[in-house]
Amino acid sequence: KAGVTQTPRYLIKTRGQQVTLSCSPISGHRSVSWYQQTPGQGLQFLFEYFSETQRNKGNFPGRFSGRQFSNSRSEMNVSTLELGDSALYLCASSLEGRARDTQYFGPGTRLTVL
Amino acid sequence: AQSVTQPDIHITVSEGASLELRCNYSYGATPYLFWYVQSPGQGLQLLLKYFSGDTLVQGIKGFEAEFKRSQSSFNLRKPSVHWSDAAEYFCAVGAGTASKLTFGTGTRLQVTL
């Protein structure tokens, strides 16, 4: 079974631009979560989608948004990029998005904001 | 809200030596506990998880972890470390009904030959 895939793997943007990242979950998984990883803040939860609905949200500004499609694929968007948005963005999928479900992570998208 | 503490930022061990990485959690009820490993430039790979039953959990790559409720700990162990184990290790807790994971700050493992 194919793992979680994320595209693109690397992105370079400038301040003020917006960016869209894509995540394809493991087949059959209905929950997709997004995390931001930075050297200073570590791994932080952004949001989780299940059946095309955002179920949980972390403590991030409204510039960070996402959506999920009927095939469970998910995208996250960051508008008006800031230097501090430079990070590794990780997507994880799980069967039902319950706390006990194992989350399987993709390789991440490395975003650099100049 | 739940939290996770990994007291050791960086650990160096010799190949063949035993390893223990510490993890302490804070949560009012029984948490779901996970250990993940991350190699440079890669995503996270699950090593093992605990959510009920036997408090000693076996994982992949020869790792094990023991859940100790009285100490709020979930330490990761390996009897003999291999050079390929060099990576960053994250302890995480899931709680309640939500899928949100709360991660510790990670422990970077260096293995000397």
Side-chain angles (χ1 to χ4, degrees):
Chain A
K1 194 181 266 191
V4 178
T5 59
Q6 293 186 245
T7 57
R9 291 293 310 277
Y10 302 91
L11 266 178
I12 298 176
K13 293 287 187 179
T14 55
R15 279 181 300 175
Q17 287 187 311
Q18 74 165 17
V19 68
T20 299
L21 313 182
S22 180
C23 171
S24 293
I26 292 172
S27 177
H29 285 194
R30 299 167 65 192
S31 169
V32 174
S33 297
W34 289 88
Y35 294 82
Q36 181 196 64
Q37 186 177 24
T38 60
Q41 299 299 315
L43 280 152
Q44 293 184 289
F45 173 79
L46 280 156
F47 31 65
E48 184 237 354
Y49 284 86
F50 180 83
S51 290
E52 302 179 63
T53 301
Q54 186 182 89
R55 274 201 310 198
N56 297 289
K57 190 177 190 307
N59 189 26
F60 279 82
R63 300 185 297 106
F64 291 81
S65 63
R67 59 177 175 168
Q68 187 181 34
F69 302 94
S70 59
N71 62 357
S72 294
R73 191 176 69 85
S74 177
E75 289 181 345
M76 70 162 280
N77 184 79
V78 188
S79 63
T80 320
L81 284 166
E82 300 177 0
L83 294 178
D85 297 334
S86 294
L88 181 67
Y89 290 88
L90 293 164
C91 162
S93 76
S94 67
L95 274 172
E96 299 288 336
R98 297 166 300 187
R100 63 185 286 166
D101 289 345
T102 297
Q103 292 191 39
Y104 295 89
F105 284 80
T109 294
R110 172 75 61 186
L111 172 64
T112 302
V113 182
L114 303 176
Chain B
Q2 62 266 33
S3 66
V4 178
T5 301
Q6 292 181 249
D8 305 305
I9 296 174
H10 184 247
I11 284 182
T12 301
V13 300
S14 301
E15 189 175 39
S18 63
L19 172 71
E20 182 169 28
L21 302 182
R22 295 183 290 165
C23 172
N24 292 96
Y25 68 90
S26 174
Y27 182 62
T30 300
Y32 304 112
L33 295 162
F34 305 81
W35 273 100
Y36 284 88
V37 61
Q38 184 178 37
S39 298
Q42 302 298 314
L44 302 172
Q45 181 183 23
L46 179 72
L47 288 174
L48 47 79
K49 67 178 183 180
Y50 169 82
F51 52 86
S52 67
D54 194 348
T55 57
L56 185 62
V57 181
Q58 302 296 321
I60 62 171
K61 302 184 181 186
F63 286 94
E64 66 178 27
E66 186 171 13
F67 171 63
K68 292 185 177 180
R69 185 189 303 275
S70 61
Q71 298 176 20
S72 297
S73 68
F74 188 56
N75 294 348
L76 182 71
R77 300 194 295 249
K78 187 170 185 177
S80 177
V81 169
H82 188 262
W83 64 265
S84 61
D85 293 324
E88 189 148 22
Y89 292 79
F90 292 93
C91 181
V93 60
T97 57
S99 68
K100 169 188 172 182
L101 286 175
T102 299
F103 285 89
T105 50
T107 298
R108 181 166 299 280
L109 173 66
Q110 183 177 356
V111 180
T112 58
L113 301 176

